[in-house]
Amino acid sequence: MGKFYITTPIYYPSANLHIGHAYTTVAADALARFHRLRGDDTWFLTGTDEHGQKMEQAARAAGKEPLEFVDGIVAGIRELWRVLDITYDDFIRTTEPRHQKVIGDIFTRLWQKGDIYLGRYEGWYCTGCEAYYTETQAKDIGYHCPDHDKPLERVGEDAYFFRLSAYAGRLREHIERNPEFVQPPSRRQEMLSFIDQGLEDLCVSRSSFRWGIPVPFAPGHVVYVWIDALCNYISALGYPDGERYRRYWPADVHLVGKEILRFHTIIWPIILMALGEPLPRRVFGHGWLVLESGKMSKTRGNVVDPLVLVERYGLDAVRYFLLREIPFGADGYYSEEALVRRTNSDLANDLGNLVHRSLSMLKRFAGGRVPAPARREPVDDEIPALAGEVVESFASSMEDLQISTALAEVWRLVGRLNKYIDEAAPWALRRAGDERVNTVLYQMAEGIRLLSVLLKPVLVRSAPLMWESVGAPRPFTEVTWEDTRWGLLPPGSPVKVGEPLFPRRELGGALVTTPHAAGPEDKPGAGPAREAATARPAGQAEAGKVEQDRGIRVAEAGEGEEGLVSIDAFRRLDLRVARVTGAERVPGADRLLRLRIDLGGEEREIVAGIAEHYRPEEVVGRSVVVITNLQPARIRGIESRGMLLAAQEGGRLVLVTTDGDIPAGARVT
Ligand code: MSP
């Protein structure tokens, strides 16, 4: 157990934040939550960077005073963090007195030491970037800022300067001696070369605008951007003598976008050196989310609003996508299609199915209580072994800030558990009266419990539901890293089968309704099912109610705007070849046959409305096609778990069968 202090950049409240800002903050949140889970004394700081000419101009354009203007946007930012469930411990605003006081003191101190001196600045300035361009840079871009599409201004004024140049040698040495300091490692050389080009002293005050922290000893000057902004990381802790400062400084990670990595690995450490304070352990510059249409910017009107995405796809999907899709450190394309793809494949298919099928088997085969493990086979031991391995590598990737890799590790276990269920076939074990079924069921439940602990930092809505679904004992809020040990779930824990955690989504957020996700009650008065052209499920002869319960609605709900069924909706149907092993008439129902079918290791009963067309002995031994993943329906007191396909024309009905020999259980696609 140690301490962990993590920060995000403080964001400019000149406009509402977009998905790019959410990316940094969600990543910092996941890391903070991970360290709390580890038992580290964790402090997570975020905030807003509220001064400067740009802000003054934005306020003026909105017809407001600067503070009044930023207050409104800051409220929106806090609301965004609430929706994204960001667990920051402190939110610093650079307009707060606690910050202003520290900045005034730091500025005076550096001046008294001789690290800040009065000079004159002249240069090419972009008010959008709040940055001067050197003569060469300005010439290269034709004296016109490409990011803000406005001409650079020639600015000259008296200004204070910070002696960066005096510290270049010490900084270089620090970066060389501390390979962890600049992250990812690929950016280290870039920073060293930057130092080697020669550091110029930095202009740290301005007298051409008012919206800033006054320089205490120089009326008319305000502290200019980087000293004000960077020192938030210590002012918020109560530098120089606050209890929190002693407890948490130096920072363990400053998480920033790559475009401001340089300020954090050059200017910031030099400020700290000049103050005689320890340097942060790591500064991590992550890549950008870019759109097919280029960089996200308000002027281009292509910003993606995270609130809309959460509304459409749910919080966990958005958090998971951001953290999993792009290797942390690299740039990556953002698109809503990619979000939907990722959500459906990893969350709905892999994790969601694992949870749902496990819970329903625990319910059906073990009466809804986690059984005690019994007879084992060597393959059963592979699961705890893999879980141990995954826990280790997940932790070390998270320590190394490789969040996407850490999640990929977790999905190794998800994938293995799904395969384990397919191979161990608990339904067959149960039928054979093999007590190993209890071992397999126990491991399925324990797998879900353990996954919920690992996913606690990321899937903040569904991890607690997973934990509760297998009846794990303590409240989820009390979960610690100790809970990643395999085998802690007590046999006898009650299982709760709820709604699927991750329904499949269409682009735009509509649900791809599954038989589990929507019953008729979701759509009162839904009309009758459309007749499919040639093949239609047979066996609904008895009741329209049964029709609705059993899958016709799958197609209905998956219909696109033109009445077409989406490929996703179709793929949700699990169509299988089944061998009919027994058939008999249902007493009192002229049209129904009760069939026993073999699905390649699993036996089921279904009730089909084919008795007017087939005698029982005619169907036994035939290969038929069955939809296997419908909700079971009770027909004449018999539980029917599946539906036959048959083709119908006029008064004729024939079974859909296969052209050639193929084993029972084969998938029909
Ligand atoms: N106020 C400064 C930071 C001062 S820190 C002492 C600032 N603010 S900002 O509002 O422009 O936010 C910049 C940060 O937002 C980036 O460093 C990055 O973390 C995040 N991102 C903004 N757009 C982004 C993308 N398109 N993609 C990924 N992250 C992005 O700079």
Side-chain angles (χ1 to χ4, degrees):
M1 201 180 133
K3 67 95 189 164
F4 185 73
Y5 177 35
I6 183 165
T7 66
T8 71
I10 46 172
Y11 301 102
Y12 291 128
S14 51
N16 291 336
L17 301 190
H18 57 63
I19 192 77
H21 306 106
Y23 179 57
T24 315
T25 316
V26 166
D29 181 63
L31 292 168
R33 286 173 184 260
F34 167 73
H35 280 272
R36 290 190 200 111
L37 181 64
R38 290 287 260 178
D40 291 337
D41 177 12
T42 301
W43 197 255
F44 170 19
L45 175 72
T46 188
T48 40
D49 185 0
E50 306 189 2
H51 293 123
Q53 193 168 13
K54 203 166 73 175
M55 220 65 67
E56 202 174 51
Q57 287 165 346
R60 206 175 304 134
K64 292 186 175 164
E65 284 303 306
L67 190 58
E68 182 194 0
F69 173 74
V70 292
D71 275 352
I73 298 196
V74 170
I77 293 176
R78 284 181 186 272
E79 172 59 13
L80 174 62
W81 298 158
R82 191 189 64 73
V83 171
L84 295 177
D85 207 347
I86 304 301
T87 55
Y88 56 80
D89 294 293
D90 193 5
F91 189 109
I92 180 106
R93 300 182 56 176
T94 56
T95 47
E96 287 176 75
R98 63 169 171 157
H99 177 74
Q100 310 221 12
K101 159 97 176 62
V102 172
I103 298 307
D105 292 350
I106 287 176
F107 207 94
T108 306
R109 171 116 182 266
L110 296 177
W111 179 61
Q112 285 165 344
K113 276 189 69 197
D115 283 322
I116 281 180
Y117 61 91
L118 186 64
R120 174 138 187 103
Y121 197 85
E122 282 225 349
W124 294 105
Y125 186 76
C126 169
T127 49
C129 307
E130 281 192 308
Y132 281 97
Y133 286 79
T134 63
E135 185 58 42
T136 335
Q137 287 167 335
K139 200 165 162 197
D140 281 353
I141 55 172
Y143 303 94
H144 192 95
C145 173
D147 286 343
H148 297 93
D149 191 23
K150 52 171 102 165
L152 301 181
E153 291 168 27
R154 187 72 191 165
V155 175
E157 61 190 70
D158 283 345
Y160 286 91
F161 284 80
F162 178 50
R163 262 184 234 288
L164 281 190
S165 51
Y167 291 87
R170 272 178 65 187
L171 178 63
R172 193 176 206 297
E173 203 180 307
H174 182 83
I175 294 178
E176 293 219 303
R177 288 213 178 140
N178 296 277
E180 267 203 329
F181 179 66
V182 183
Q183 297 267 348
S186 54
R187 302 234 179 254
R188 227 169 118 235
Q189 194 47 47
E190 201 182 311
M191 296 305 134
L192 288 172
S193 323
F194 193 81
I195 299 172
D196 291 343
Q197 282 165 27
L199 294 183
E200 285 178 19
D201 291 349
L202 179 76
C203 176
V204 288
S205 83
R206 299 293 301 277
S207 51
S208 51
F209 61 87
R210 300 259 60 81
W211 182 236
I213 300 172
V215 174
F217 52 86
H221 285 261
V222 293
V223 178
Y224 164 67
V225 69
W226 287 106
I227 287 192
D228 179 0
L230 289 163
C231 292
N232 89 86
Y233 301 131
I234 58 175
S235 72
L237 294 179
Y239 171 82
D241 46 21
E243 195 268 322
R244 274 189 198 135
Y245 185 70
R246 283 195 298 275
R247 183 156 155 199
Y248 293 115
W249 190 257
D252 294 272
V253 191
H254 290 310
L255 204 57
V256 300
K258 63 177 187 180
E259 81 291 356
I260 55 171
L261 184 65
R262 189 151 52 92
F263 303 110
H264 283 78
T265 55
I266 292 177
I267 302 175
W268 180 224
I270 292 182
I271 295 174
L272 289 164
M273 281 175 180
L275 293 171
E277 297 297 324
L279 307 195
R281 202 177 120 216
R282 291 176 294 185
V283 181
F284 188 97
H286 66 68
W288 282 345
L289 293 186
V290 282
L291 304 173
E292 296 283 349
S293 56
K295 206 178 153 192
M296 231 176 290
S297 85
K298 213 177 126 209
T299 26
R300 289 192 198 178
N302 61 354
V303 288
V304 177
D305 182 350
L307 290 174
V308 173
L309 294 181
V310 171
E311 176 110 324
R312 281 186 191 157
Y313 303 104
L315 176 58
D316 281 1
V318 173
R319 288 178 62 109
Y320 177 77
F321 169 74
L322 289 176
L323 299 176
R324 175 66 185 92
E325 186 74 7
I326 302 161
F328 203 51
D331 286 350
Y333 278 106
Y334 164 84
S335 77
E336 206 163 316
E337 286 84 355
L339 191 157
V340 170
R341 220 178 304 125
R342 189 52 91 174
T343 305
N344 285 343
S345 74
D346 293 14
L347 296 180
N349 277 5
D350 298 344
L351 182 61
N353 270 349
L354 172 67
V355 173
H356 202 80
R357 69 199 288 221
S358 301
L359 296 179
S360 53
M361 286 190 227
L362 279 153
K363 185 127 200 166
R364 291 209 317 269
F365 302 159
R369 297 236 162 225
V370 175
R375 188 179 80 75
R376 301 182 82 78
E377 284 190 2
V379 64
D380 297 317
D381 295 332
E382 285 175 21
I383 301 295
L386 179 70
E389 222 177 84
V390 164
V391 166
E392 286 297 304
S393 46
F394 172 80
S396 77
S397 295
M398 288 298 274
E399 304 270 3
D400 290 347
L401 314 174
Q402 288 307 318
I403 309 176
S404 173
T405 314
L407 287 171
E409 276 300 312
V410 176
W411 257 254
R412 264 206 317 144
L413 182 58
V414 172
R416 183 67 188 89
L417 282 167
N418 269 322
K419 195 159 155 252
Y420 175 63
I421 299 174
D422 295 341
E423 291 167 353
W427 51 91
L429 292 172
R430 179 164 180 263
R431 216 179 30 250
D434 187 336
E435 61 171 16
R436 179 174 165 238
V437 67
N438 289 341
T439 309
V440 177
L441 290 173
Y442 179 85
Q443 304 221 108
M444 286 152 65
E446 175 60 354
I448 293 174
R449 188 197 63 83
L450 192 142
L451 286 169
S452 78
V453 180
L454 293 182
L455 292 171
K456 192 176 184 219
V458 176
L459 302 183
V460 297
R461 293 286 176 270
S462 26
L465 299 177
M466 286 167 63
W467 172 265
E468 286 157 18
S469 72
V470 291
R474 284 164 303 119
F476 192 64
T477 43
E478 288 172 17
V479 159
T480 69
W481 191 249
E482 282 300 297
D483 291 300
T484 57
R485 262 194 13 242
W486 182 266
L488 296 182
L489 186 64
S493 303
V495 172
K496 256 197 346 220
V497 187
E499 288 293 296
L501 293 176
F502 306 104
R504 289 176 71 85
R505 304 273 180 179
E506 305 270 12
L507 193 60
L511 290 185
V512 178
T513 314
T514 69
H516 305 301
E521 64 280 6
D522 291 340
K523 237 193 194 179
R530 284 185 316 138
E531 290 278 326
T534 50
R536 71 175 191 89
Q540 331 91 355
E542 280 296 288
K545 167 84 178 69
V546 174
E547 277 183 19
Q548 288 213 334
D549 275 345
R550 303 176 73 212
I552 303 285
R553 290 181 49 84
V554 176
E556 243 181 47
E559 277 176 6
E561 276 164 13
E562 297 83 27
L564 298 176
V565 172
S566 77
I567 189 75
D568 268 345
F570 172 70
R571 286 201 187 117
R572 290 290 302 159
L573 294 177
D574 191 27
L575 293 164
R576 302 270 173 178
V577 173
R579 178 124 22 238
V580 182
T581 55
E584 60 190 55
R585 293 188 182 277
V586 177
D590 294 347
R591 300 170 64 190
L592 298 182
L593 284 190
R594 174 182 193 163
L595 305 178
R596 223 173 29 254
I597 56 166
D598 173 13
L599 283 166
E602 193 195 355
E603 280 218 339
R604 291 191 184 186
E605 274 200 329
I606 60 176
V607 176
I610 57 172
E612 290 172 324
H613 308 275
Y614 288 90
R615 288 195 304 275
E617 59 275 20
E618 281 176 325
V619 287
V620 174
R622 310 266 311 241
S623 280
V624 292
V625 176
V626 172
I627 307 174
T628 65
N629 60 342
L630 298 179
Q631 276 182 339
R634 281 202 96 68
I635 302 174
R636 296 277 168 144
I638 304 163
E639 188 178 64
S640 176
R641 295 186 37 236
M643 200 183 275
L644 276 186
L645 290 190
Q648 205 171 21
E649 169 74 6
R652 247 164 72 74
L653 178 147
V654 294
L655 291 174
V656 172
T657 174
T658 54
D659 175 28
D661 214 18
I662 190 141
R667 183 143 199 190
V668 178
T669 55

